[in-house]
Structures are given as C-alpha cells and as structure tokens.
Amino acid sequence: MKFLDQARVYVRSGDGGAGCVSFRREKFIEFGGPDGGDGGRGGDVVVECANGLNTLIDFRYQQHFKAKTGTHGMGKNRAGGRGADVVLKVPEGTQVYDEEDLETPLADLKAPGERVVVAKGGNGGFGNAHFTTATNQAPRRANPGQPGVERTLILRLKLIADAGLVGLPNAGKSTFLAAVSAARPKIADYPFTTLHPNLGVVRVDDRDFVLADIPGLIEGAHEGQGLGDRFLGHVERCRALIHLVDATGEHAGSAYRVVRGELAAYGGGLAEKPEIVALSKVDAIDAETLKLQRERLKRAMRAYGPPLAAGAKRAPPLDLSAVARRGLDAALRAALVRIDAARGQETAQAAPAPAWTA
C-alpha cells in the first residue's frame, strides 16, 4: 500500500428537500385544508477517525464527496426523509483544514471513533400546512430547501508514534527499526532509501511502544533540499526522539549539528523534545576512530542539544550497531524512560485543578 500523508478533497452537504403545496380533497370532506408536508434535511459531510488505517491513499482516487439531498415533502402531511450523510474515513492523527485557512485546523482526530461534521446539510423547506393562520386558511406557498455547504478541505496525516528516529540519510535508521521490530522498511546502501515514514511496534522489558522511522534530513531540508522537511510533521506527536549519528561518517559532530539545525528551523517544538543520541554502525570502525567520533559528538551535543532541566546532566551518546545487535536494548530502555516521563507530564497537565476549599 502506498503512503500518502496529505490530500485535498471537495465536499458538499446535501440540499434540504422542498416543502409541498397540497390540500386535502376527499369525498364528503367539505373543508379539507392544506396538508403539505415539510421537506427533509440534507445529509451532512462527516470526517471520522477509523481504526486500521495508516495512509490517506484512498483520497488520491476519489476527491469529490457529496451528501444526499433531503426528500421533498408530500401531501397528507408527510414530511420528507433526511438525506444520507457521507462519511470520510481517515487514520488516527489526521488534521482537517479548510483550504482558505491553513493555520487553524477544523479538527484533530487522534482516537478511533472521533468524528466532526465539516459541512452541515441544508434545512428542509416548510410545506403549506406550516403557514396556516386564522386569516390565511388556504396558503398556496411552500419554502424550498436550503442549499448545502460546499468547501475544499486539506487533510494532513501526522502519524502517532511514541518515539521517532531522526538523522542524516544512511545513518542506519531503517536498519535499526528492522532490528527491533517486525517492520520491514527498504534498506540499501544509498541515500534517501526511505521515501516515506515507517512504523514499527517495539517490545522491551515486557513493554511496547510505537517507533517511527523518518526519511533522512540534509542541510537545507527546511528550504526544500533533498526530500525537504515535510515528514517532520510525523514526529511532532512523538514524546521522544532517537537521534542516530553515523560513526563511519566524516565528522559526527557536524552530522549532529546539521540535524539539530533542521529540527530548530522546522519549529513545532521538535528542538525541545527529549532525545537519545547514539553513534550507529560502531562495528564498522576501530576503537581509536570510535573514541574520536564520540568526543566530537559530545562537544556538539553540549552546543546544540536540547535544553536540560536545572541540575540535570546530559547523557553521553550510546554505541549502537543494529547489524551486530549491540546497544539496541540500551537505546530502547532510554527511550522508554523519556516516554514515561513525557506521559507523566501530559497526565499532570490534563488533571483537573483541585477544588477550592476555605
């Protein structure tokens, strides 16, 4: 299945049904009177978060969605039925924007079952029975139904993961994900092998969490270089970052600085997220080179790393080799500690304030 994280769709809610002009005409009924029913309400356009989806690819093949028109009113005081709604099924983490306002989302759907009405159906028109008064006992008019609402929506998917893998191209992110989970991303020895984010469920110490592999960043990604930084939106919701630095590269400190610069340029609080830094592919270099690269990385972490709480010490970089399965559990346990801490902060912020007592 192809991955698509942004889609543009046109939606239109249903028109309301028209009211009916009708009079009761029966044998031996001298004064039948008006009996035109009201029209039914038009259908709504609803966006619903569904379980089991992880891409917006369905909206590449269908971009127009129109709800049904309400049924017109009929004689004998029969009201028209409501038009059928149209429901757009989207994966968890989808944000819905109006095309005319891309700054403020109409909805942010994070849990299955959440739904939002993005276009309400038009009200049905009144039949002539509705206009009967003491001075107008035979009205010959009825209202047409109200037209539906049409708008163009932008759907943006931000994958929901507990931790995200970031780093330069060929830093070993996909290899790491394949080693610690059942995910099978494409792995090759050339840059930009990963063209879209991949998710994997990681298990360590009888605990599970979701890990996202983000395509590699290069210097100038926020200006559109390489694959750009559009995929960084998928780590906005992550509670921690695992930053992999290639130990076989020219300068580990420079590689770290480049990625940190792109995170800061993107914004969204990515530069402030807690991170675990690891030197990857350590099995491919000798001990002296490893020591040199570790010192370079430590200096870069002190200069460009995320801010620390008062009195906290910065953790040293980990040694990692996904091929030799070295340091994998240590990295996952460190990520789990930071994920639990972030969850605790979220719970504390969401907790209601204690009741005031005298």
Side-chain angles (χ1 to χ4, degrees):
M1 179 182 293
K2 294 183 178 180
F3 180 83
L4 186 70
D5 62 352
Q6 183 163 315
R8 180 177 181 269
V9 294
Y10 166 85
V11 298
R12 192 183 194 283
S13 59
D15 298 335
C20 175
V21 175
S22 174
F23 293 90
R24 182 182 180 187
R25 292 183 175 88
E26 296 183 38
K27 190 176 182 179
F28 307 121
I29 302 297
E30 184 176 0
F31 302 105
D35 64 352
D38 300 336
R41 180 183 176 87
D44 298 332
V45 178
V46 180
V47 180
E48 180 179 353
C49 182
N51 199 5
L53 298 177
N54 55 14
T55 175
L56 298 173
I57 190 65
D58 292 339
F59 300 104
R60 173 169 289 179
Y61 307 108
Q62 181 181 358
Q63 293 90 30
H64 290 73
F65 298 87
K66 297 181 181 180
K68 298 296 184 180
T69 300
T71 307
H72 301 315
M74 295 171 283
K76 298 183 180 179
N77 288 313
R78 289 176 292 177
R82 177 187 172 93
D85 297 339
V86 61
V87 180
L88 282 65
K89 302 281 189 178
V90 298
E92 300 174 44
T94 300
Q95 293 181 324
V96 184
Y97 293 84
D98 190 289
E99 189 180 41
E100 298 180 355
D101 182 11
L102 298 179
E103 299 296 329
T104 306
L106 300 174
D108 190 356
L109 306 175
K110 299 179 181 178
E114 289 185 357
R115 50 194 287 143
V116 60
V117 177
V118 294
K120 289 187 177 181
N123 289 324
F126 291 135
N128 66 334
H130 189 88
F131 298 101
T132 304
T133 65
T135 57
N136 184 14
Q137 298 185 13
R140 286 173 169 79
R141 71 184 184 93
N143 285 347
Q146 291 182 341
V149 176
E150 58 181 281
R151 66 197 312 180
T152 300
L153 303 177
I154 303 297
L155 305 178
R156 291 178 180 170
L157 172 61
K158 294 183 178 179
L159 295 176
I160 297 179
D162 296 304
L165 286 167
V166 296
L168 292 178
N170 270 11
K173 301 183 296 299
S174 297
T175 307
F176 179 84
L177 181 66
V180 299
S181 73
R184 291 296 174 262
K186 183 179 180 181
I187 300 172
D189 59 351
Y190 55 84
F192 301 112
T193 309
T194 302
L195 299 178
H196 58 79
N198 295 296
L199 289 179
V201 178
V202 177
R203 186 170 185 83
V204 58
D205 297 336
D206 296 328
R207 296 277 305 279
D208 294 337
F209 67 90
V210 180
L211 182 63
D213 171 23
I214 306 302
L217 299 171
I218 63 173
E219 192 165 10
H222 66 283
E223 298 174 348
Q225 300 293 326
L227 294 179
D229 61 357
R230 58 171 294 189
F231 294 118
L232 283 181
H234 295 290
V235 296
E236 283 187 36
R237 304 181 191 274
C238 293
R239 297 182 174 91
L241 302 179
I242 301 178
H243 187 162
L244 298 187
V245 181
D246 188 356
T248 64
E250 294 183 1
H251 197 292
S254 297
Y256 179 83
R257 175 189 57 80
V258 168
V259 175
R260 292 296 306 176
E262 295 305 319
L263 295 178
Y266 178 84
L270 297 188
E272 288 75 36
K273 287 185 179 292
E275 70 171 4
I276 298 94
V277 183
L279 274 169
S280 63
K281 307 180 186 179
V282 295
D283 59 323
I285 59 176
D286 56 52
E288 184 178 350
T289 305
L290 176 59
K291 181 179 179 181
L292 177 62
Q293 291 284 51
R294 190 184 293 120
E295 291 302 322
R296 290 171 173 173
L297 184 54
K298 286 181 179 179
R299 290 194 296 269
M301 290 172 61
R302 288 193 292 268
Y304 304 102
L308 297 177
K313 293 183 179 180
R314 195 175 301 278
L318 302 175
D319 294 340
L320 188 69
S321 173
V323 175
R325 305 196 66 83
R326 173 181 170 186
L328 299 182
D329 289 342
L332 297 179
R333 290 190 181 102
L336 196 56
V337 169
R338 287 157 178 79
I339 291 171
D340 289 341
R343 283 175 177 166
Q345 292 180 358
E346 293 172 3
T347 302
Q349 293 174 358
W356 181 86
T357 56

